[in-house]
Amino acid sequence: MIRLHVASDLSADAGIVLGKEQSHYLANVMRLKEGETVALFNGRDGEWSATIERVAKSGVALHARARTRPQAAEPDLWLLAAPIKKDRIDLVAEKAAELGVSRLWPVLTRRTAMSRVNTERLAAHMVEAAEQCERLSVPEVSEPAPLDKAVADWDPGRPLLFLDEGGTGAPIAAALAGLRPGKLAVLVGPEGGFDESERALLARLPFAVPVGLGPRILRAETAAIAALAVVQALLGDWNRGPRAS
């Protein structure tokens, strides 16, 4: 079944009129007709089956019928990533959504090659990924910030695993085994790695934990995806936040 993320509240008999892009997708790309069914979610009210009531130039109108899945808590997992080239950061955003990230935060480092980040485009990729992987929520995308400002007011209760290409960190599996259930963040550096001043900054932070992903030097997008996959495999669902009502 086709799944769509919507902003509208979802409840029994709720009426939803889709915007231009989603209406075009249903009517002209997927060629759905009146009476056919799609699934809707908004990150708050669970997943609902909805019937297409009208296909018109003004938009596709839907009628919510029944909730098929209740809203459930999801991992409170952040990914902080230095921006990389367009298609590669798009890939990171897509896979981060698939791997359970709740927040993507672009961080600017001394060796970051990209000075501009299109957060709207990243958010769109994460919406599409959430629709396809059957998540009940869409990750938040934060505005880019310099690394030092990102960690300045950091919650010490959220461990920050930073991928240390210098090889001084413990294997990521060992670091995860020593953590208590709760909030977590992963930090991935730029294509050239962190510089010495950034390493020194991170070394002073009591909540920052250097980790390694093995003996090979990985591309930034590969490292991000690999780290998130390990977190998903080893931690499963224990790092969930408060259950939504």
Side-chain angles (χ1 to χ4, degrees):
M1 182 181 296
I2 294 172
R3 302 178 75 242
L4 293 178
H5 176 262
V6 297
S8 305
D9 292 335
L10 296 172
S11 61
D13 296 325
I16 300 97
V17 178
L18 300 178
K20 180 179 179 180
E21 291 187 3
Q22 288 183 320
S23 293
H24 170 76
Y25 173 70
L26 288 188
N28 301 319
V29 178
M30 302 309 297
R31 299 187 180 280
L32 296 189
K33 307 298 183 183
E34 294 177 2
E36 295 193 79
T37 301
V38 299
L40 304 177
F41 68 104
N42 60 10
R44 306 182 301 275
D45 302 318
E47 183 177 270
W48 289 74
S49 63
T51 303
I52 298 176
E53 288 198 323
R54 185 183 71 253
V55 177
K57 291 184 178 180
S58 59
V60 173
L62 304 171
H63 187 87
R65 297 297 183 183
R67 188 164 65 175
T68 55
R69 282 199 290 162
Q71 191 70 33
E74 296 186 355
D76 190 357
L77 174 63
W78 294 4
L79 173 63
L80 282 69
I84 50 180
K85 294 178 182 178
K86 177 182 174 181
D87 56 340
R88 291 161 62 187
I89 192 64
D90 290 349
L91 176 67
V92 170
E94 175 186 299
K95 300 309 174 186
E98 293 180 21
L99 290 166
V101 165
S102 59
R103 183 182 186 187
L104 173 62
W105 193 354
V107 292
L108 306 176
T109 68
R110 292 181 179 272
R111 294 174 179 164
T112 298
M114 306 295 292
S115 59
R116 299 178 61 183
V117 181
N118 188 333
T119 54
E120 290 186 4
R121 190 185 71 245
L122 295 181
H125 281 293
M126 299 186 95
V127 167
E128 292 179 4
E131 290 173 343
Q132 294 174 5
C133 75
E134 298 194 358
R135 282 186 64 155
L136 290 176
S137 67
V138 173
E140 173 189 353
V141 181
S142 298
E143 289 299 317
L147 175 61
D148 57 347
K149 293 186 178 180
V151 300
D153 297 318
W154 194 265
D155 175 6
R158 182 184 299 275
L160 176 65
L161 304 184
F162 73 90
L163 304 187
D164 181 17
E165 74 281 357
T168 62
I172 188 171
L176 291 170
L179 295 179
R180 297 177 59 188
K183 299 176 287 189
L184 186 64
V186 173
L187 169 62
V188 183
E191 294 167 304
F194 299 108
D195 79 354
E196 292 306 314
S197 65
E198 291 164 340
R199 289 176 180 277
L201 168 65
L202 293 168
R204 293 194 298 269
L205 302 175
F207 51 80
V209 182
V211 297
L213 289 171
R216 287 168 290 281
I217 300 297
L218 304 179
R219 292 176 65 151
E221 70 273 23
T222 305
I225 295 168
L228 294 175
V230 172
V231 171
Q232 177 87 312
L234 296 183
L235 301 188
D237 291 339
W238 69 237
N239 58 338
R240 290 182 181 274
R243 181 169 295 278
S245 56

